[in-house]
Amino acid sequence: MNRAELAERWLAEITRTVYVPMSRTEIGEFLLELVHELVEELRAPDGETSRAGEVGQALVGGQFTRAESLLCSMRVLGSGLPELDELAGRPELTQRVILALGAVSAGYAEAMRQRTFEQQEDVKQALLRAKDNAERAMRGSEARLREVFTSSVVGIAITELDGTFVNFNQALCGILGQDPADLGGRGLMDFVHPDTAGEVARAYDALFAGRQERFRVLARLHKGEEETGFAYLAVSLLRDEQGSPTSCVTMVEDVTELKMVQDRLHHQALHDRLTGLANRQFFLTRLESVLGRIEPSTGMSLYHLDIDGFGMINSGLGHEVGDQVLQLVAAKLKMVVDKEKALVARFGGDEFAILIEHTASTPDVATMAARINEELGEPVYLTERGVAVSASIGVVQQQAGRIKPVELLRSAAGTLRRVKASGRRQWGLHDPDADRRDRDWFALAATMPGAWENGELRLLYQPVRQLADDRLAGVEVLLHWVHPDRGEIGHDECVRLAEETGLTILIGQWMLRTACEQVRLWQQEFQAPVPPIGLRLGKSQAADPDLVGDVRKVLDGYGLLPDQLWLGVPAAALLAGFGEVEDNVETLAGMEIPVLLDEFCCGTDELTLLDELAVSSVRLSARLVQRLGHPCPPTLLTEAVRNLVPLVHQLEAAVLMDGITTAEHAHRCRNLGADLAQGAYFGRPGPPAEMSALLARSFS
């Protein structure tokens, strides 16, 4: 939806609520301009709401002054602004829309108050002129006064100094829910609710003491027998010719509906709509308050929870059931901490948080975590079968000291992330050292896109040798990062970082193009076929639906044959059935592109993969090969590999061992039956020039 469509929807709704002296076209242009103001505010990065407040004032200036006009505007803008195409994907859009609408409402209220205040001043001046000219034009002044009384939508009352009603209009009777006869002998303070009676009484005292000529105050009023409402009271003194106060004139502006709208918007800004729990903003505010007052002897605990496997509930039973489960989780969490000084919040999705201020009876973390999962694990019958959930919980405890709330939440989120990695229904306490390592890792991952753009990533080439005769069997392309602070970062760590940032496919495509281009350059240089070049595919790239098309396009583009390229596919990705990795392997093998099964751990499931898929070779786990390089490797491990290699050969696959560091290590791997090897002993990864020199020696 675009701005003009939103303005048209607003036009259709608001013109039903009030008549204004403008044509439909003029109203449409007026509302479109207001939409422009709101959208530009939401697009601004600083979060200021001055424009939104001016939109509310403009509505009043355009004479859209009915309460229904504001309510329909809130409804149309609240649903329409998040649907605008140009705002799609904006961070915290819903929160900003709510705050902007709150500012529109506040600006509307302020403009209405100003309008009423100006009207009140006009009324006051009319009353004073009527009193001063009473003897000369009594009938005229009474007519003007009566017109003001009868036509004004604002309640008007003239009272004695003790507050007793002398005169009042019908609008006041309507606001107070009283018949005119019921107001005789009574005063305005009789209708002020005790919640605000003290503030109103103090304002009257200041008025009578001469500290101010008038006052304006928001009061809660009794309306009828049981109903209450809100109104602004604007009170001024009337004086005689000697300047002595004789009576008071009070203007009563009913703002009950406007107050309800403002309260509702305020609640929505601080609470989750689905569960009614506090939202992240409210939670942060409370956390900041608690951190400012906790004592070292008591402290507090922050629990960050994630519902295990919630996606299965949404996918299997539907989002409606998923919403019901979230509501039940919210209720159960509140029940668990019912006797504690605690706040429960929903951060979004299936993430919840609990803030507990410690008391003498607060249970320890282990007990609290057990209670949470015990309560959540009780089945609830939402469908034909019972539904129960569990939670992974990260806990941060804080005694005292200076720490920002966002830092505490960040620590809790990091703890939860580590807990989830260890399985479901687990909990863990914050580990500062682990948190520091994680933050360093994620900071490194976050800078990888910039490093790639700035040329800090480069490709190195490592030889792969035949163990039987030390002949050059191939070349593998490896990713290398020369980091300005951390130094050199190797291929495996680079791939893990790329997976974290979503760069695996893009970097993998670049590696594929560069590697094939390098093969063509070597062929042109030596005027002869060169050994095949290989790439280790990351998990995401191996499962990429476009992988086969990318490979075919690159091979055709550089004029290479399929057997001049081999690709390593992670065994773990195949075993997990990740994405389209198995289909890709079968298609690549059908294209006669050699496929290597990477990180082969000698399991029976992996042997089954060899039997089912046309895999040309396997690369044993780096950890396994490293242990075989020890001076005295475990006998059981050695025999396991010795027995495994013939099985792999029976399935017509070669065995590659990576990480060979010494001649003894190479000799041991050769005796175990390995076919191919690479590692520092056979040549470290180097730039293209070094590999060119190696190729030249092999050709000679």
Side-chain angles (χ1 to χ4, degrees):
M1 183 169 65
N2 57 37
R3 300 184 186 187
E5 291 169 342
L6 177 56
E8 187 64 26
R9 185 191 296 180
W10 194 2
L11 171 66
E13 293 290 335
I14 201 169
T15 51
R16 299 174 185 169
T17 65
V18 68
Y19 168 77
V20 294
M22 286 190 285
S23 68
R24 187 176 183 85
T25 300
E26 290 172 333
I27 297 175
E29 293 173 351
F30 172 77
L31 295 178
L32 180 59
E33 185 61 29
L34 300 188
V35 170
H36 288 327
E37 290 293 324
L38 287 173
V39 173
E40 292 305 316
E41 177 131 304
L42 293 174
R43 287 167 56 92
D46 54 8
E48 292 294 329
T49 56
S50 59
R51 289 187 178 181
E54 293 171 359
V55 168
Q57 295 172 7
L59 281 173
V60 175
Q63 301 189 33
F64 296 94
T65 56
R66 295 283 301 276
E68 293 86 354
S69 302
L70 177 62
L71 288 172
C72 91
S73 298
M74 295 295 101
R75 182 171 61 253
V76 171
L77 295 175
S79 62
L81 287 172
E83 296 178 5
L84 288 177
D85 297 336
E86 65 184 291
L87 297 180
R90 290 254 166 196
E92 300 182 354
L93 177 59
T94 302
Q95 179 75 5
R96 294 194 65 178
V97 167
I98 291 174
L99 293 176
L101 294 184
V104 171
S105 178
Y108 187 93
E110 180 60 30
M112 286 293 290
R113 286 195 296 270
Q114 184 62 33
R115 182 172 179 268
T116 302
F117 183 75
E118 294 171 356
Q119 190 178 49
Q120 292 167 356
E121 286 297 312
D122 291 339
V123 171
K124 177 185 173 183
Q125 294 303 320
L127 291 172
L128 290 173
R129 284 195 300 271
K131 187 175 184 297
D132 292 339
N133 297 329
E135 293 182 357
R136 293 174 297 162
M138 181 64 72
R139 291 182 181 178
S141 63
E142 287 181 353
R144 288 193 296 271
L145 181 60
R146 184 54 54 194
E147 178 63 22
V148 170
F149 262 57
T150 56
S151 64
S152 177
V153 296
V154 175
I156 304 173
I158 297 176
T159 64
E160 300 286 0
L161 295 179
D162 62 2
T164 304
F165 287 121
V166 175
N167 203 355
F168 46 81
N169 66 355
Q170 188 62 39
L172 180 65
C173 297
I175 292 173
L176 299 178
Q178 301 289 328
D179 291 329
D182 297 331
L183 297 182
R186 304 179 68 179
L188 187 60
M189 288 300 295
D190 295 338
F191 297 93
V192 177
H193 193 278
D195 289 351
T196 56
E199 183 180 1
V200 175
R202 287 190 294 273
Y204 269 112
D205 290 342
L207 183 68
F208 295 146
R211 295 194 296 271
Q212 57 188 35
E213 283 296 313
R214 63 182 64 84
F215 69 83
R216 182 182 178 83
V217 65
L218 180 65
R220 186 178 181 185
L221 302 178
H222 292 289
K223 300 176 68 174
E225 296 182 358
E226 299 181 356
E227 186 180 357
T228 61
F230 290 88
Y232 276 102
L233 306 182
V235 183
S236 300
L237 281 176
L238 297 178
R239 300 178 182 274
D240 59 17
E241 295 179 353
Q242 288 74 37
S244 300
T246 59
S247 56
C248 294
V249 58
T250 302
M251 319 294 283
V252 182
E253 177 193 359
D254 190 354
V255 293
T256 303
E257 291 186 6
L258 188 59
K259 183 78 164 53
M260 289 174 63
V261 171
Q262 290 176 326
D263 290 347
R264 190 180 304 119
L265 289 172
H266 183 264
H267 184 275
Q268 290 176 355
L270 297 176
H271 290 79
D272 174 57
R273 181 178 180 181
L274 177 65
T275 62
L277 297 178
N279 63 11
R280 181 185 290 269
Q281 183 61 42
F282 190 179
F283 192 87
L284 273 171
T285 302
R286 176 68 64 84
L287 179 58
E288 184 175 20
S289 174
V290 171
L291 287 173
R293 67 169 183 266
I294 58 171
E295 298 291 336
S297 59
T298 55
M300 51 140 287
S301 294
L302 194 161
Y303 295 74
H304 194 171
L305 299 85
D306 187 271
I307 305 304
D308 298 326
F310 181 72
M312 292 189 300
I313 295 176
N314 270 341
S315 300
L317 301 178
H319 286 273
E320 183 177 352
V321 173
D323 288 347
Q324 293 178 18
V325 170
L326 292 175
Q327 291 169 336
L328 285 169
V329 168
K332 289 184 175 185
L333 292 179
K334 290 176 67 176
M335 184 169 61
V336 168
V337 298
D338 182 52
K339 296 181 180 179
E340 302 295 328
K341 192 174 181 181
L343 175 68
V344 182
R346 181 187 175 213
F347 284 176
D350 57 354
E351 284 189 63
F352 293 82
I354 304 174
L355 174 63
I356 299 179
E357 298 181 57
H358 295 170
T359 63
S361 60
T362 299
D364 57 59
V365 172
T367 302
M368 182 61 71
R371 288 181 183 175
I372 290 172
N373 269 314
E374 181 180 353
E375 188 63 38
L376 295 180
E378 187 68 28
V380 177
Y381 287 82
L382 299 177
T383 58
E384 295 180 356
R385 297 184 180 182
V387 178
V389 295
S390 62
S392 299
I393 309 170
V395 187
V396 178
Q397 292 187 308
Q398 184 73 17
Q399 299 301 322
R402 295 181 178 273
I403 183 170
K404 294 182 179 180
V406 290
E407 285 298 314
L408 206 60
L409 278 182
R410 183 179 176 187
S411 297
T415 304
L416 174 61
R417 185 168 48 249
R418 290 190 293 274
V419 167
K420 290 173 65 176
S422 63
R424 298 184 175 185
R425 199 185 172 95
Q426 302 294 316
W427 68 272
L429 279 171
H430 172 57
D431 182 344
D433 293 333
D435 191 51
R436 192 177 305 108
R437 288 193 298 271
D438 285 351
R439 293 189 184 192
D440 290 344
W441 171 262
F442 290 124
L444 185 63
T447 60
M448 192 175 198
W452 184 29
E453 183 177 352
N454 295 333
E456 294 176 19
L457 300 185
R458 59 176 179 162
L459 299 183
L460 300 181
Y461 300 83
Q462 186 174 32
V464 178
R465 295 281 185 178
Q466 289 279 4
L467 275 173
D469 55 10
D470 199 36
R471 182 172 55 86
L472 184 64
V475 178
E476 185 169 33
V477 137
L478 299 173
L479 189 60
H480 195 69
W481 184 358
V482 184
H483 194 277
D485 299 322
R486 294 187 45 160
E488 297 188 357
I489 300 174
H491 177 84
D492 292 337
E493 190 171 2
C494 283
V495 170
R496 290 196 299 272
L497 289 167
E499 289 283 0
E500 289 285 353
T501 56
L503 284 176
T504 305
I505 294 177
L506 291 176
I507 291 180
Q509 292 170 342
W510 167 65
M511 292 178 65
L512 176 64
R513 291 192 302 271
T514 306
C516 290
E517 181 183 16
Q518 187 61 60
V519 170
R520 187 178 67 176
L521 292 174
W522 282 331
Q523 289 184 156
Q524 293 172 349
E525 179 181 353
F526 298 107
Q527 292 298 305
V530 298
I533 196 162
L535 286 84
R536 305 183 194 184
L537 301 179
K539 182 177 68 172
S540 298
Q541 188 180 17
D544 182 16
D546 297 325
L547 174 64
V548 173
D550 291 340
V551 171
R552 182 181 286 112
K553 180 179 179 180
V554 171
L555 289 177
D556 292 343
Y558 291 103
L560 301 183
L561 298 174
D563 61 0
Q564 290 182 278
L565 172 71
W566 56 270
L567 299 173
V569 176
L574 277 166
L575 290 172
F578 187 70
E580 299 187 18
V581 61
E582 186 170 337
D583 291 340
N584 285 341
V585 169
E586 292 179 347
T587 306
L588 291 169
M591 295 167 56
E592 299 184 354
I593 295 175
V595 175
L596 176 144
L597 195 59
D598 221 343
E599 284 297 307
F600 192 83
C601 296
C602 308
T604 55
D605 287 342
E606 292 167 315
L607 287 173
T608 303
L609 288 176
L610 285 179
D611 186 42
E612 294 176 347
L613 301 173
V615 175
S616 63
S617 57
V618 300
R619 190 198 321 257
L620 295 190
S621 162
R623 184 179 180 186
L624 187 152
V625 176
Q626 182 184 16
R627 296 195 66 187
L628 290 175
H630 291 174
C632 296
T635 303
L636 181 62
L637 181 63
T638 303
E639 290 303 313
V641 174
R642 192 187 308 277
N643 294 329
L644 170 76
V645 170
L647 295 176
V648 175
H649 288 159
Q650 288 179 25
L651 294 169
E652 301 182 356
V655 175
L656 168 62
M657 292 192 180
D658 188 2
I660 308 300
T661 55
T662 65
E664 181 183 357
H665 195 182
H667 179 72
R668 182 175 296 130
C669 292
R670 185 183 303 112
N671 288 340
L672 289 174
D675 307 287
L676 305 167
Q678 67 185 118
Y681 176 69
F682 295 104
R684 296 181 182 277
E690 290 185 11
M691 186 54 62
S692 295
L694 181 61
L695 287 170
R697 290 195 297 271
S698 69
F699 281 120
S700 65

